[in-house]
Amino acid sequence: MVLEATMICIDNSEWMRNGDYSPTRFQAQADAVNLICGAKTQSNPENTVGVLTMAGKGVRVLVTPTSDLGKILACMHGLEIGGEMNLAAGIQVAQLALKHRQNKKQQQRIIVFAGGPVKYDKKVLEMIGKKLKKNSVALDVVNFGEEDESKTEKLEALVAAVNNNDSSHIVHVPAGSSALSDVLLSTPIFTGDGEGGSGFAAAAAAAAAGGVSGFDFGVDPNLDPELALALRVSMEEERARQEAAAKKAADDSSKKEGESTSQDATMSENVGTSASESENKKDDMMDDENALLQQALAMSMVDPDTTVTARDTDMSDAAADDQDLALALQFSMQEDAKDQSDMGKLLADQSFVSSILTSLPGVDPNDPSVKDLLASMQNQPEKKDDDKAPKEDDK
Amino acid sequence: MACLHDHSCEDHDCSSDWSLYKHIDIPKLSALNEAVPGSVKAVFKAWEQRLNSSEGFLESNEGDPELIVFIPFTSDVKIKSISIVGGADGTSPNKMRAFINREGIDFSDAQSMQAVQEWDLAENLQGVLEYQTRYSRFQGVGNLTLHFPDSYGGDTSRIQYIGLKGEATQLKRDVIATIVYELMPNPSDHKTKSESGGGMSHVE
């Protein structure tokens, strides 16, 4: 999270028309620039980034250091390719632009994309490097495009002259199947001297590589612990639900299908909205399985079609509104008094009960305790009144 | 204008005079062209420790003896005189130029700007020389920038101690600051006592 002002020097010389980086060198460069701008502004909102072009008629500053990402992206449009890259002038103009930055507390950094050949002497470049070091400006060089012994040597010498305590880097990107941006993501240019990397870079790297690079779900647990936790919980619930759904597919009851999807909808909805309660919910699932199960059965027995969603909402919201809970309690109490006979019949219907069970997330129908419960349920339909009590301590 | 101490000073007396180092805003101290970043902080210490180089010293980069030291104060001060202890073997600076209340001076600025005052320094390895200022120009100093353009022939410049004598006025300087407010909330800046073990703070 270093506070930094960055000037990016873009190469828009004739050599950028070449297609050895897909789609063209220039387009690959533009993508990389966009990525860098995003990473810089995300790692610290007070960072500023500016852009200038080195070739064409002459060095031209497209946008002075600003934290407005839109402005930077907009200025990359409509750039013309032509001319020869003027490295020395580009770096000097970048240094001048940084000198006049608004916030003097920012560290100064220049990022150069060197695609075309370098016509300056090694000595000249070293002098420029020393001057940058003296004014404590860091320099990152992306060496791509033209492959040339002397070019590599010159750029290495330049970065060595500037380098102060490992703050400057040079990256060589040969032409190949992987995109320029992807290669850059893993370099210190993005990860910022190995200070742990910005979440942006990590997430982008994960997406690009198609795998998980350090952070699950592309969210840094350090940056956003609640979100990471909520994502993990919902992932587990989804997995459990899918297992239950797979089992239920064998049971094939279309009416139950409708119920379970509505239950699932409310379940996943609640995970999304009550992230702080996800911890409580997780505990409920694991620890109070049986109590929960009894309540679920009791409540769903009352009125399977209309009130089941309301009941499940009530139940899943572990820290739900007290008023709603009280109301639901009253309601279910009244209902139970009326529908004794119906409940008895429904409970007796073993297949119905088992299908309800399988559709509940976190419940494994093969669990011996569940099987015992089923057996006891059939024998004692009036046990449901006791089930109201456990609901209270389900907090 | 160098003055020698013409009295046998007891350390106690002198050290209380050279006490402006206590009013320096240490975290904001910076130097340009220093070989080891952060080494400038070791140069401001009590009078008794002026020859003690155990904490390190400020050295410029190899082959370039130019140095700029930026000294911000916690309140406005009046500077009466400055003392510099340099390094041996020609690494002492031979000239000093001072600028007042200007932030972000770099080498091109320093070379082109007119300094508030300039001194020719002598090699002062024992730290007994002090250089007086034109006091009227050094009233109400919020920050001081010292520019050392060259050394006594050495490859680098080395400074072991910078002493400042004067008074602190306890007045804060009014600055037209470019304040950048928080553009994006950073959760680590807003640690609140969580109600139920890790709850998200709500913004209503």
Side-chain angles (χ1 to χ4, degrees), chain A residues 293-302 336 343 384 387-388:
Chain A
L293 182 56
Q294 289 168 19
Q295 291 162 46
L297 281 170
M299 292 204 284
S300 55
M301 288 315 125
V302 172
D336 281 352
M343 194 147 11
K384 59 163 174 48
D387 302 341
K388 291 297 171 277

Side-chain angles (χ1 to χ4, degrees), chain A residues 13-70:
Chain A
S13 62
E14 281 292 343
W15 283 265
M16 291 294 109
R17 282 190 208 278
N18 199 332
D20 53 359
Y21 296 77
S22 67
T24 60
R25 285 181 183 173
F26 187 71
Q27 198 49 48
Q29 191 188 209
D31 291 339
V33 170
N34 291 343
L35 216 56
I36 292 181
C37 293
K40 292 285 177 195
T41 43
Q42 222 209 27
S43 77
N44 185 331
E46 294 176 23
N47 279 351
T48 55
V49 181
V51 176
L52 62 80
T53 53
M54 292 192 286
K57 286 215 183 75
V59 175
R60 190 161 70 98
V61 176
L62 298 174
V63 57
T64 56
T66 170
S67 53
D68 184 359
L69 195 56

Side-chain angles (χ1 to χ4, degrees), chain B residues 15-203:
Chain B
S15 69
S16 61
D17 284 339
W18 296 94
S19 61
L20 272 186
Y21 73 95
K22 294 181 190 155
H23 298 273
I24 295 179
D25 196 352
I26 306 257
K28 298 211 190 103
L29 258 181
S30 70
L32 286 182
N33 202 27
E34 54 180 348
V36 178
S39 56
V40 64
K41 301 191 172 132
V43 154
F44 296 94
K45 44 205 170 186
W47 174 255
E48 296 96 53
Q49 266 99 51
R50 70 191 182 282
L51 299 176
N52 179 4
S53 59
S54 59
E55 303 269 312
F57 41 79
L58 174 62
E59 184 158 15
S60 70
N61 276 317
E62 200 58 44
D64 194 355
E66 224 175 333
L67 271 176
I68 287 185
V69 181
F70 175 70
I71 309 163
F73 296 100
T74 52
S75 63
D76 281 3
V77 299
K78 304 182 199 200
I79 302 180
K80 212 185 287 182
S81 57
I82 305 177
S83 171
I84 308 279
V85 176
D89 299 330
T91 57
S92 278
N94 67 352
K95 205 163 146 96
M96 175 166 73
R97 304 170 72 228
F99 304 88
I100 302 187
N101 295 332
R102 295 286 300 265
E103 284 194 26
I105 294 185
D106 70 352
F107 288 100
S108 50
D109 292 336
Q111 277 147 16
S112 53
M113 271 167 40
Q114 177 86 332
V116 174
Q117 193 169 351
E118 295 186 13
W119 297 264
D120 287 318
L121 304 178
E123 285 194 71
N124 177 17
L125 293 172
Q126 297 309 311
V128 295
L129 289 177
E130 60 181 86
Y131 303 93
Q132 276 190 346
T133 66
R134 281 195 202 112
Y135 201 42
S136 58
R137 297 199 190 169
F138 285 80
Q139 309 277 313
V141 177
N143 56 61
L144 175 70
T145 306
L146 294 175
H147 173 220
F148 302 95
D150 208 353
S151 68
Y152 272 101
D155 232 4
T156 64
S157 278
R158 211 182 275 188
I159 295 180
Q160 225 172 290
Y161 169 72
I162 297 181
L164 300 167
K165 189 195 257 189
E167 291 170 17
T169 58
Q170 306 304 321
L171 293 170
K172 289 243 88 147
R173 186 163 196 80
D174 277 333
V175 198
I176 301 163
T178 312
I179 301 172
V180 183
Y181 292 98
E182 196 179 55
L183 295 179
M184 206 186 286
N186 187 352
S188 61
D189 286 341
H190 300 283
K191 283 250 151 65
T192 56
K193 238 205 304 217
S194 24
E195 298 98 53
S196 51
M200 242 188 340
S201 45
H202 288 285
V203 178

Side-chain angles (χ1 to χ4, degrees), chain A residues 34-306:
Chain A
N34 291 343
L35 216 56
I36 292 181
C37 293
K40 292 285 177 195
T41 43
Q42 222 209 27
S43 77
N44 185 331
E46 294 176 23
N47 279 351
T48 55
V49 181
V51 176
L52 62 80
T53 53
M54 292 192 286
K57 286 215 183 75
V59 175
R60 190 161 70 98
V61 176
L62 298 174
V63 57
T64 56
T66 170
S67 53
D68 184 359
L69 195 56
K71 215 193 224 178
I72 300 166
L73 297 181
C75 82
M76 297 284 297
H77 288 304
L79 282 180
E80 308 228 322
I81 298 182
E84 228 180 46
M85 172 177 85
N86 188 344
L87 186 62
I91 293 180
Q92 282 164 343
V93 173
Q95 196 182 350
L96 200 62
L98 286 173
K99 185 171 135 153
H100 295 291
R101 65 197 185 284
Q102 270 197 319
N103 185 357
K104 299 285 181 202
K105 293 197 178 62
Q106 290 166 327
Q107 301 283 324
Q108 304 174 67
R109 179 172 291 273
I110 301 178
I111 303 182
V112 175
F113 283 85
V118 176
K119 63 180 187 240
Y120 287 94
D121 276 344
K122 196 160 124 177
K123 282 245 170 357
V124 174
L125 293 178
E126 277 177 358
M127 293 276 295
I128 293 177
K130 285 214 185 89
K131 191 156 162 252
L132 287 177
K133 182 174 175 181
K134 195 163 160 180
N135 287 299
S136 69
V137 179
L139 176 69
D140 290 331
V141 175
V142 179
N143 180 14
F144 70 114
E146 292 300 301
E147 302 254 317
D148 193 359
E149 265 296 315
S150 66
K151 178 188 177 197
T152 309
E153 208 185 306
K154 287 175 188 175
L155 292 175
E156 293 264 0
L158 171 63
V159 175
V162 185
N163 198 4
N164 183 5
N165 215 15
D166 257 346
S167 62
S168 304
H169 318 94
I170 178 165
V171 179
H172 306 277
V173 186
S177 53
S178 53
L180 183 61
S181 339
D182 294 340
V183 175
L184 284 181
L185 274 169
S186 55
T187 60
I189 294 181
F190 262 96
T191 58
D193 306 336
E195 43 175 54
S198 62
F200 182 97
V212 178
S213 71
F215 303 138
D216 296 327
F217 313 114
V219 174
D220 184 352
N222 296 325
L223 288 181
D224 204 344
E226 286 109 354
L227 183 58
L229 181 66
L231 285 170
R232 195 168 358 115
V233 169
S234 72
M235 181 68 115
E236 286 169 19
E237 285 180 357
E238 180 63 22
R239 213 177 294 134
R241 186 195 73 80
Q242 275 172 356
E243 285 167 19
K247 286 197 185 101
K248 193 168 39 71
D251 280 5
D252 76 354
S253 172
S254 58
K255 183 177 117 187
K256 314 304 174 285
E257 209 92 84
E259 263 176 20
S260 59
T261 42
S262 60
Q263 284 174 21
D264 294 330
T266 51
M267 284 305 245
S268 47
E269 201 183 291
N270 289 329
V271 171
T273 54
S274 60
S276 61
E277 298 145 9
S278 59
E279 249 186 85
N280 292 341
K281 201 188 322 189
K282 198 177 170 189
D283 290 342
D284 291 344
M285 290 305 159
M286 303 311 155
D287 300 339
D288 304 333
E289 229 177 70
N290 285 343
L292 209 63
L293 182 56
Q294 289 168 19
Q295 291 162 46
L297 281 170
M299 292 204 284
S300 55
M301 288 315 125
V302 172
D303 197 348
D305 284 314
T306 57

